[in-house]
Amino acid sequence: MIVPMKKVSFVMLEQQRKDALKKLRRLGVVHLERLTGNSAALSDFRDAYAKADAAYRILAEIKHPRQQGTASSISFDREMVLAKAEEILALAERKKQCMEIIAADKMELERFAGWGNLDSEDFEYLAQKGILLSLYEIPREAYAELPQSVQTVLVNETKSLSRFLLLEYTDGTVPVGAASRPAELPAEAYAVPMIRSSTSRLRTEIQELQTEIISINDTLDAAVIYKSLLQQCCVVVGKDIEFENVYSGMGHDETADGVTEPKFMPLAWLSGFVPVDKLESVRNLSQEEHWAIAISDPSDDDEVPTQLKNNRFVSLIYPVSDFLGTVPGYREYDISGWFLLFFCLFFGIIFGDGGYGLLMVVAAVGAEIASIVKGKKIPPVYNLLLLLGFFTVAWGTVTCTWFGLPPEVLPEWLKALSFDPISNVYAAVSPENEALVKQNLQIFCFAVALVQLSIAHIKGFIRYIRSPKCLGEIGSLLMLWGIFFVVLNMVVKLDYFFGIATMGNEILALVGVGFVLSFIFSNYDGSLGASILESCKNIVSVLLGVVNVFSDIVSYIRLWAVGLAGSAISSTVNDMAGPTFGGALIFLGILLLVFGHGLNMILNVLSVIVHGVRLNTLEFSSHLGMSWSGFEYEPFCEIKAVDNK
């Protein structure tokens, strides 16, 4: 469930502001409203955090340091860690500069690779003596046609290119690179810019810089022991940023400069949100510190944080919601239980193979045993994996799907556990049975859609039970059921379903009555006329809503389609590996099986993320009217323990 919140507002003396914040942080239950502070101290804290975080990221990129060590014997000292961060950043910057210089030097050497050993100082010396030399490249056939008036010295030639020096005599005042281009020189001649140093010095510089980079890498490797301390520093400074942001951003009275005895006592104030079960501790603290406190229900304009509180079983879905970053709004529904149930069902159908489920169960049990042996708490994700494995095994059992193997090679007792209407055993008997099983699976997917979307509208009916708006939810529910039978007729092509003609008058009546009730009451907010007028204004959206119901139901057929694709891949892998068994290539066959089924499981995981999650967060949530617009309850509190692994 979503824990009810109360809005609390505090007023205290301005001179108590900092001490009050420290005590509120120590209490650790008040989620403060968003504040934007501005102070010199806040800027300093942010700069320190940026340095520590950047240094931590640099060390985190070093996966296999050549020098191993531990920081267990180094006590945390903030100034020392920040100094180390600056040292690491300086080393990383110098390494970057060295790599840039090396790249430039190599480019320069590559540019003059065909010229041999060059030294710009030699050219400058000759220029001072009145001999000005310029470097040129020209097509070989064009060089042979140069007029005699152009004095050149041929350096070397390739099949297509000639390199030469253009010779000019000056009074010794014309610097290198300032020579004029003779008019007789053809346009094909390319003037090569002078080398910025010498080829020998460039090579020496590259070697020196490479040696310096090795030294820097060794120093950074040795500094990896400070990675956990830098992480801890980020946490500490992050809390300082949080505190200073609140301190400088909270409301307070200002006194005029130079006034030593103001006519009033300056005050400070701030607001936040507290779970109702922790409200008493806030009251007690306010009474002890003599703060004024106001407690009220959050208004519609307040941005209220969301705190979820569920039993241990329902909480198994939290790793998925944390991964997705989805948080329901404070005034929305907590669908954690329904999300878990249908997510597990969708997971089992998409994976669709009992053999894969057994592998997940074994992996989850092994991981949990390893955690118990190490004396660690079992992560919730292991229990979630175990639950998903059980659902996958269950679906594989009722459909008789085990590692993509054909039913005839499976033991009889395993085939006996399957459920004929959706079983591969029954489908293998004849093409007619195969078509019937395919149809039954499609009907099952649509039935899952009907159940889940009906739950959404039933929850809406319960929510608005004291308002005529609940009739709009009844209308949506009737329309959903009517369109369900329309879908069966159009997609599955049934003539009858439970004895009712799928396109009979009863079904059309369901859709019609449901549409009318939804049109009249869905926008009800105290006035029936205003509700109808609002629906008329949005008539296009209302009509598209009917189409959306149809598409939402049909969307659930993706469960069958994706599961069918995974089953086809596993069967193909078996067919490819089968001929290798019983011969010399058996090892290759085993590798093919492991790789093929492993790849199929990875693709199934991606399919669950794309399709299984979507049905919960889009189709189901849209019928609930949820936008997942919430943000987590994060109380203003002391530093939590840092994991220094």
Side-chain angles (χ1 to χ4, degrees):
M1 70 170 186
I2 296 178
V3 177
M5 294 280 176
K6 289 289 186 179
K7 183 174 183 178
V8 294
S9 299
F10 304 94
V11 178
M12 68 281 293
L13 296 177
E14 199 279 336
Q15 63 187 16
Q16 297 178 326
R17 182 159 52 126
K18 182 166 288 189
D19 184 61
L21 288 179
K22 290 180 180 179
K23 291 178 179 178
L24 277 177
R25 186 166 69 172
R26 194 175 302 120
L27 183 64
V29 298
V30 182
H31 179 107
L32 298 178
E33 287 187 321
R34 295 177 183 175
L35 297 170
T36 303
N38 184 19
S39 68
L42 183 59
S43 298
D44 292 341
F45 287 142
R46 285 174 174 164
D47 290 342
Y49 181 90
K51 291 178 181 177
D53 183 62
Y56 172 78
R57 293 178 184 276
I58 290 171
L59 297 183
E61 292 178 357
I62 304 175
K63 302 301 182 183
H64 303 289
R66 289 186 292 273
Q67 300 183 28
Q68 301 291 337
T70 177
S72 58
S73 60
I74 305 176
S75 59
F76 177 77
D77 180 88
R78 178 169 170 163
E79 297 304 320
M80 179 273 292
V81 175
L82 289 175
K84 180 59 68 173
E86 292 183 355
E87 178 185 338
I88 292 170
L89 293 177
L91 288 170
E93 181 62 26
R94 176 56 185 165
K95 178 180 177 181
K96 179 182 176 183
Q97 292 174 356
C98 291
M99 295 177 69
E100 290 175 349
I101 296 173
I102 289 174
D105 288 350
K106 287 183 176 180
M107 186 178 296
E108 193 78 347
L109 288 174
E110 183 178 355
R111 190 162 67 92
F112 289 96
W115 287 88
N117 293 324
L118 294 176
D119 192 332
S120 60
E121 292 181 357
D122 294 341
F123 287 85
E124 292 172 0
Y125 174 78
L126 292 174
Q128 293 172 3
K129 298 299 181 182
I131 303 174
L132 194 62
L133 297 175
S134 302
L135 284 67
Y136 277 87
E137 293 178 350
I138 193 171
R140 185 169 181 173
E141 61 274 9
Y143 179 75
E145 298 175 359
L146 288 178
Q148 294 294 328
S149 59
V150 179
Q151 299 186 51
T152 65
V153 177
L154 181 65
V155 177
N156 59 49
E157 288 184 323
T158 65
K159 292 182 179 180
S160 59
L161 188 70
S162 294
R163 299 183 180 90
F164 67 91
L165 298 175
L166 179 66
L167 177 62
E168 295 182 64
Y169 296 100
T170 68
D171 58 0
T173 60
V174 181
V176 176
S180 60
R181 182 186 180 99
E184 301 88 344
L185 201 62
E188 297 95 327
Y190 167 70
V192 179
M194 181 56 63
I195 189 170
R196 59 182 170 85
S197 180
S198 71
T199 51
S200 61
R201 282 195 293 271
L202 289 175
R203 293 189 185 97
T204 301
E205 185 177 42
I206 289 174
Q207 292 176 354
E208 292 174 349
L209 292 175
Q210 288 175 338
T211 302
E212 185 177 355
I213 288 176
I214 293 174
S215 176
I216 291 174
N217 287 336
D218 290 340
T219 306
L220 291 176
D221 286 349
V224 169
I225 62 174
Y226 293 95
K227 187 169 68 172
S228 61
L229 295 177
L230 287 167
Q231 184 183 23
Q232 186 176 353
C233 185
C234 288
V235 175
V236 172
V237 178
K239 281 298 179 180
D240 288 341
I241 292 173
E242 180 186 37
F243 185 92
E244 184 62 28
N245 182 66
V246 175
Y247 176 73
S248 59
M250 66 185 292
H252 63 282
D253 290 325
E254 298 283 355
T255 57
D257 294 338
V259 177
T260 57
E261 294 183 1
K263 295 181 180 180
F264 62 92
M265 188 68 70
L267 301 176
W269 56 89
L270 79 163
S271 300
F273 302 93
V274 179
V276 291
D277 57 342
K278 296 182 174 66
L279 194 58
E280 193 61 31
S281 61
V282 176
R283 282 199 184 98
N284 294 337
L285 180 62
S286 300
Q287 291 176 359
E288 292 173 5
E289 301 299 325
H290 304 290
W291 302 334
I293 182 173
I295 301 173
S296 62
D297 291 323
S299 67
D300 293 339
D301 297 329
D302 287 326
E303 295 182 357
V304 188
T306 301
Q307 182 185 29
L308 299 179
K309 186 177 182 180
N310 290 293
N311 58 49
R312 293 180 62 182
F313 179 76
V314 174
S315 299
L316 292 177
I317 197 59
Y318 289 169
V320 176
S321 59
D322 291 342
F323 171 77
L324 298 173
T326 53
V327 180
Y330 177 71
R331 296 173 181 85
E332 295 181 342
Y333 299 98
D334 176 19
I335 60 170
S336 299
W338 295 113
F339 197 121
L340 176 64
L341 173 62
F342 285 103
F343 178 76
C344 291
L345 178 60
F346 299 158
F347 189 99
I349 296 175
I350 289 174
F351 263 73
D353 194 299
Y356 292 172
L358 283 177
L359 292 178
M360 287 186 285
V361 170
V362 171
V365 171
E368 291 185 353
I369 292 175
S371 296
I372 294 173
V373 171
K374 294 178 181 178
K376 295 182 178 180
K377 183 179 179 181
I378 298 177
V381 69
Y382 293 167
N383 291 325
L384 177 61
L385 179 62
L386 183 62
L387 182 62
L388 295 174
F390 282 136
F391 267 81
T392 307
V393 170
W395 183 259
T397 300
V398 297
T399 60
C400 198
T401 307
W402 300 91
F403 292 112
L405 296 172
E408 56 268 19
V409 303
L410 296 174
E412 291 297 327
W413 65 269
L414 203 56
K415 291 189 283 187
L417 295 175
S418 63
F419 181 57
D420 282 349
I422 57 175
S423 172
N424 288 328
V425 178
Y426 185 75
V429 174
S430 65
E432 292 78 12
N433 287 8
E434 183 179 0
L436 183 59
V437 168
K438 173 183 175 181
Q439 177 178 274
N440 290 339
L441 286 170
Q442 293 175 346
I443 294 174
F444 178 80
C445 291
F446 295 141
V448 170
L450 180 65
V451 171
Q452 188 176 28
L453 301 184
S454 295
I455 290 171
H457 292 294
I458 292 172
K459 289 178 71 70
F461 173 78
I462 296 173
R463 183 171 191 170
Y464 302 116
I465 188 67
R466 298 184 180 181
S467 167
K469 194 171 184 177
C470 69
L471 296 177
E473 293 293 337
I474 292 179
S476 298
L477 187 62
L478 294 176
M479 193 162 49
L480 174 69
W481 277 77
I483 294 177
F484 167 73
F485 287 103
V486 173
V487 169
L488 290 183
N489 183 76
M490 297 180 65
V491 178
V492 184
K493 299 297 183 183
L494 287 180
D495 294 329
Y496 288 90
F497 188 73
F498 290 130
I500 303 175
T502 54
M503 288 298 289
N505 294 332
E506 301 89 343
I507 306 307
L508 296 178
L510 272 179
V511 177
V513 172
F515 177 80
V516 171
L517 288 175
S518 178
F519 185 87
I520 296 174
F521 296 102
S522 288
N523 298 305
Y524 183 83
D525 192 18
S527 171
L528 190 61
S531 176
I532 297 175
L533 181 61
E534 187 66 25
S535 295
C536 291
K537 289 180 181 178
N538 301 295
I539 186 62
V540 175
S541 298
V542 172
L543 294 176
L544 287 177
V546 180
V547 179
N548 286 339
V549 174
F550 176 87
S551 64
D552 288 345
I553 295 176
V554 173
S555 183
Y556 280 71
I557 204 170
R558 68 181 67 234
L559 298 172
W560 165 75
V562 176
L564 184 64
S567 178
I569 292 175
S570 60
S571 297
T572 302
V573 171
N574 293 339
D575 292 340
M576 294 173 61
T580 64
F581 287 90
L585 298 178
I586 185 172
F587 180 72
L588 179 62
I590 294 174
L591 287 179
L592 184 59
L593 284 177
V594 173
F595 174 78
H597 285 290
L599 179 61
N600 193 24
M601 293 184 72
I602 293 174
L603 293 176
N604 284 338
V605 171
L606 296 177
S607 298
V608 169
I609 295 174
V610 174
H611 302 291
V613 170
R614 171 205 162 102
L615 294 176
N616 277 304
T617 58
L618 188 60
E619 276 81 358
F620 183 44
S621 298
S622 65
H623 283 257
L624 284 166
M626 291 182 62
S627 60
W628 299 99
S629 58
F631 55 96
E632 290 184 358
Y633 163 74
E634 295 179 349
F636 188 58
C637 61
E638 297 281 3
I639 298 174
K640 296 180 181 179
V642 179
D643 187 1
N644 289 327
K645 293 181 181 178

